[in-house]
Amino acid sequence: MANTSVQTHAKVSPSLVKKATISSACFMGLGQVLFLKEYVRGAFLMIFEVLMILGCTPVFEFGVPKSLWGLVTLGTPHPELPVKLRDHSIFMMIDGIFMLVICAIFIFVYITQIKNAKKEAEKIVSNGKFPSWAETHNDLSQNAFPIIGVTPIVLLIAIFTVIPLVFSALVAFTNYSSPDHMPQANTVDWVGLENFRTMFTKNGLGAGSGWFKAFGHVALWTVIWAIFATFSCFFVGFFFAVILQDKRIAIPKFYRTIFILPYAIPQMLSLFVWANLLNGTLGPVNRTLQYFGIISKAIPWMSDPTMAKVTLILVNIWIGFPYSMILITSSMTAVSSSMYEAAEIDGASKWQQFKSITFPLVMYQLKPTLIMQFAGNINNFGAVFFLTGGGPSLMVGGDNLSIATQAGSTDILISWIYKLTMNSQQYCIASVLSILVFVVLVPFGLYNFMRTKSFKESEI
């Protein structure tokens, strides 16, 4: 047996590791086919590289694929050609990004197969023999299953998540806007950080443009809106949840059902109804108050900037507090009744029970949810758009900034992005704001994810 082992080891040259690694580096899968006798895996890898080579042709110039070259240049103006035959900069950008993602996947697979070839060769040299067909089949089936299962997910994420995100970010570094840079009539150009200078400096695109002032007001109101919208709904919901848990309240289920109705009705419909109710001249609210002599002139619910913001927060409470009430009621039912019984025996009042038992335990459970509600309210497009439409006009120092920037007094960043995109087609400026919203929201998402039980268990 010992002699057989020595002979078997002699059949495998230590140079196999070097040969397999170098050949795999020269052409994907070559080391597996020529030296490792992994013909199926090697064939798939070689086919993959051949398809990549064919897919990258025809070559434009300098050995660079046409789609990548288009991402660099974004097309060449051809005013002599009909509009339909001119370069479409945006399509060229998307094609280039798609090719970059494909190339990144290819490079990852290329490096991985080189490392795999080296690892397999070292294993063969260590064992002194090539694996049998049964061993190869068993190893391939075990390793291939997770790869086959994950590959479709990775491809879908790359196509439907990574590419749109990268595209949205790159638009911020172009002049993609109406009327001078709209494909296909005109090409789009790379402008570097010009759009960021426009947004974050006082004299961007001319001293009277007002972009910096508009951004400051909208960004500040977005933060204020998110804080008030989150905590007002949460604590009003907390209040009603605690009240309806009290045993002295008759038919609490009936009241709970009534309070849930605003949440059950589609938000868009509710906001349209409120917009009509609070109409400054013909709204039933103002006309009713005037009829009973409570007010002498109509309240400018949505025509005065300050009043419009207050109205927005109040209507949002009416729509949003039922969701918080449901969450808090569910959390309160998980609190053991024995804790309240022990507190009553010790002579604790209802307020003391709430302060020392209910509030800490509920906040411990719902703190991540509260953080995510705050992040969601930063992007709460519907509440602003369907009630006030972002209006009234944003007046700063006697200047109407809404004319040049499309920003309104109650606009938050997401509704401003919508206006810049759909109304004035200032896609490059809207992309700058989108990057800002993304940078602000990512920390909240990561914080909430890292506090989940699954993340903590995976760390262990």
Side-chain angles (χ1 to χ4, degrees), residues 129-179:
K129 63 183 182 66
F130 288 92
S132 64
W133 168 250
E135 292 174 338
T136 303
H137 180 269
N138 183 52
D139 180 65
L140 188 62
S141 61
Q142 289 182 357
N143 294 330
F145 177 75
I147 295 175
I148 293 173
V150 171
T151 299
I153 306 294
V154 172
L155 292 177
L156 290 174
I157 290 175
I159 295 172
F160 296 106
T161 302
V162 175
I163 291 177
L165 284 176
V166 174
F167 171 75
S168 299
L170 289 182
V171 169
F173 301 93
T174 69
N175 56 5
Y176 182 26
S177 60
S178 178

Side-chain angles (χ1 to χ4, degrees), residues 102-304:
I102 296 298
C103 290
I105 295 174
F106 175 74
I107 293 171
F108 173 78
V109 175
Y110 207 112
I111 295 174
T112 302
Q113 65 91 27
I114 295 173
K115 293 181 178 179
N116 180 264
K118 182 180 179 181
K119 181 180 177 182
E120 291 296 324
E122 290 174 345
K123 185 177 179 181
I124 292 171
V125 172
S126 175
N127 294 335
K129 63 183 182 66
F130 288 92
S132 64
W133 168 250
E135 292 174 338
T136 303
H137 180 269
N138 183 52
D139 180 65
L140 188 62
S141 61
Q142 289 182 357
N143 294 330
F145 177 75
I147 295 175
I148 293 173
V150 171
T151 299
I153 306 294
V154 172
L155 292 177
L156 290 174
I157 290 175
I159 295 172
F160 296 106
T161 302
V162 175
I163 291 177
L165 284 176
V166 174
F167 171 75
S168 299
L170 289 182
V171 169
F173 301 93
T174 69
N175 56 5
Y176 182 26
S177 60
S178 178
D180 297 327
H181 299 282
M182 292 294 294
Q184 279 177 273
N186 307 101
T187 56
V188 175
D189 306 309
W190 295 108
V191 295
L193 299 175
E194 186 62 34
N195 295 316
F196 292 88
R197 284 191 288 267
T198 298
M199 183 61 65
F200 300 119
T201 58
K202 293 183 179 180
N203 58 348
L205 289 182
S209 64
W211 284 103
F212 180 73
K213 293 179 182 179
F215 170 76
H217 280 78
V218 174
L220 178 61
W221 165 238
T222 301
V223 175
I224 295 173
W225 154 256
I227 293 173
F228 276 93
T230 302
F231 290 99
S232 60
C233 288
F234 184 81
F235 286 108
V236 169
F238 211 139
F239 173 79
F240 282 106
V242 172
I243 293 296
L244 294 177
Q245 284 288 101
D246 196 300
K247 296 179 180 178
R248 294 171 292 181
I249 298 294
I251 53 174
K253 293 183 179 179
F254 171 77
Y255 292 111
R256 195 173 288 118
T257 303
I258 295 297
F259 290 150
I260 290 174
L261 285 178
Y263 179 69
I265 299 172
Q267 186 187 53
M268 182 181 68
L269 297 178
S270 297
L271 291 168
F272 278 145
V273 171
W274 274 108
N276 289 317
L277 290 174
L278 298 174
N279 185 281
T281 55
L282 303 176
V285 174
N286 274 341
R287 296 188 67 176
T288 301
L289 294 176
Q290 287 176 320
Y291 178 80
F292 287 105
I294 299 175
I295 59 174
S296 58
K297 61 179 181 178
I299 299 174
W301 295 106
M302 289 181 290
S303 58
D304 178 75

Side-chain angles (χ1 to χ4, degrees), residues 1 60 79 95 142 178 193 209 218 224 231 284-285 351 365 372 400 423 458:
M1 292 295 292
F60 186 75
D95 290 342
Q142 289 182 357
S178 178
L193 299 175
S209 64
V218 174
I224 295 173
F231 290 99
V285 174
W351 168 249
Q365 297 180 55
M372 290 309 297
N400 188 348
N423 295 351
S458 65

Side-chain angles (χ1 to χ4, degrees), residues 47 56 75 92 124 162 168 175 191 236 250 292 330 337 341 393 438 445:
I47 292 172
C56 288
M92 296 176 74
I124 292 171
V162 175
S168 299
N175 56 5
V191 295
V236 169
F292 287 105
S330 302
S337 59
E341 293 171 359
S393 298
F438 179 79

